[in-house]
Amino acid sequence: MLPIVLIHGFPLDARMWESQAEFLRKRGMHVITPDLPGFGKKTPLPREQTSMEAFAEEIHRIIVQEAGGKAVVGGFSMGGYVLQALLRAHPESVAAAMFISTRTDQDTPTAREGRLKSIEHVTQNGTAALIDTMLGKIMAKQPTAAVKKRVKEIMANQSAAGIINAQLAMAQRRDQTDLLTKLEIPLLIVVGAEDAVSTPSVALGMQAHAQGGAAMLVQIAAAGHMAPMEQPAAVNDAILAFLNTVHI
Ligand code: MLT
């Protein structure tokens, strides 16, 4: 089995994958969970150099150095945008792709405006309000207190510079929907049934664009956007079932 690289979302870091990494490692798999520049232990790139493409280059460097040049790659939300940029720039480095709680379209003008306002707010007041707003949107209707606390803890560790740069880069990201129609590798799409950010209908649209519906789509019950942390066992099972079908 090729190494598995899992790319975190915003504003999170590698720790969001604790459960998946442990589960897959216990089954003998080589799992790499990098921090993106500006998150976790990594320093931010200069603002004008921050983009989904620049993040993808960092992931590609890791795949070359730590995975022998090819891996199964999973991306959660913003990590999914990075995975799409990686698939466009270095398709040979991805043997199979797992899109988790993500989407392929670009921001609407309203979403972009919201990001710019949030950048202004973070610049002036720090990251607390952004984290509270996000926590209100990214969990299932009845989140468990422990998961909410852990997500908040990870978010609160991220620097304002990392958050601002990534927010700007996401606002400027391109639409990648056409990429799905061209991919000829196994695809997994995972979505929380209660995800209000990248909804089940977004996931269905992605599946329809992918190779005439050849992507495996798994909907996770009682989960919002943070499905890998809210319902880790169900997400782990979905990943394992997918990996068992791809034989890489
Ligand atoms: C994420 O979870 O990475 C973000 O919600 C992505 C986004 O803001 O588009």
Side-chain angles (χ1 to χ4, degrees), residues 80-220:
Y81 312 156
V82 176
L83 170 54
Q84 291 153 35
L86 175 70
L87 282 161
R88 204 175 274 282
H90 301 286
E92 74 295 340
S93 66
V94 185
M98 305 187 288
F99 295 112
I100 303 174
S101 309
T102 194
R103 56 194 309 133
T104 55
D105 53 355
Q106 60 187 168
D107 277 4
T108 60
T110 313
R112 203 167 292 135
E113 206 176 296
R115 289 201 203 269
L116 299 181
K117 276 202 186 119
S118 124
I119 289 172
E120 216 175 284
H121 197 275
V122 171
T123 307
Q124 285 165 14
N125 308 296
T127 62
L130 171 130
I131 293 170
D132 282 342
T133 308
M134 284 200 74
L135 284 173
K137 287 190 204 159
I138 59 173
M139 317 283 290
K141 285 181 209 84
Q142 295 184 321
T144 62
V147 175
K148 199 166 177 178
K149 183 167 171 274
R150 183 65 177 143
V151 174
K152 186 169 184 172
E153 208 168 72
I154 298 174
M155 288 184 168
N157 269 178
Q158 311 309 325
S159 69
I163 286 179
I164 291 169
N165 293 3
Q167 212 36 328
L168 202 55
M170 285 193 287
Q172 292 165 347
R173 77 184 190 280
R174 62 172 290 177
D175 187 293
Q176 298 276 24
T177 308
D178 69 305
L179 179 78
L180 282 175
T181 62
K182 295 177 196 142
L183 293 176
E184 287 174 6
I185 53 172
L187 303 177
L188 170 66
I189 299 168
V190 174
V191 64
E194 298 178 33
D195 190 340
V197 179
S198 302
T199 60
S201 77
V202 165
L204 273 171
M206 285 173 68
Q207 187 190 35
H209 276 100
Q211 286 280 300
M216 174 174 164
L217 172 63
V218 180
Q219 187 161 306
I220 307 293

